[in-house]
Amino acid sequence: MVKTIQPDPDKQRGALDDLDRLRRDRDELGGLLGRAGAHFGAAEAPPADRIEVWGRRIGRTLSLLAFAALAVYLYLTYVR
């Protein structure tokens, strides 16, 4: 005779809640990375004006590099 195992409703509900939480976290992170990619890719610039698109991309990349350099400088100066 085969014994059947009955699922525990509390464990099942907890597992489904965990899956929903993980799905929301993944969507938030994916949305954040997508927005950052669109920002640095100058998605809001008019696509017909290639000079403006590349100017925004270069400017935003240089600002990110300047921020990283400033963060390293401040860390080496005041924390270390």
Side-chain angles (χ1 to χ4, degrees):
M1 178 173 260
V2 176
K3 185 177 179 181
T4 59
I5 299 173
Q6 297 296 325
D8 184 13
D10 292 334
K11 285 185 179 180
Q12 189 175 14
R13 191 175 313 113
L16 290 173
D17 290 342
D18 288 343
L19 286 173
D20 286 339
R21 182 182 49 81
L22 288 172
R23 191 174 298 115
R24 280 193 313 270
D25 290 348
R26 183 200 62 197
D27 291 343
E28 289 173 5
L29 180 60
L32 178 64
L33 293 177
R35 286 191 308 266
H39 176 73
F40 284 102
E44 77 283 352
D49 191 359
R50 295 179 52 84
I51 299 298
E52 184 172 351
V53 170
W54 277 102
R56 286 184 185 199
R57 288 178 181 169
I58 291 169
R60 290 173 181 177
T61 302
L62 288 175
S63 70
L64 182 64
L65 291 174
F67 172 76
L70 179 64
V72 168
Y73 169 74
L74 290 174
Y75 173 78
L76 293 176
T77 303
Y78 295 107
V79 176
R80 196 176 76 150

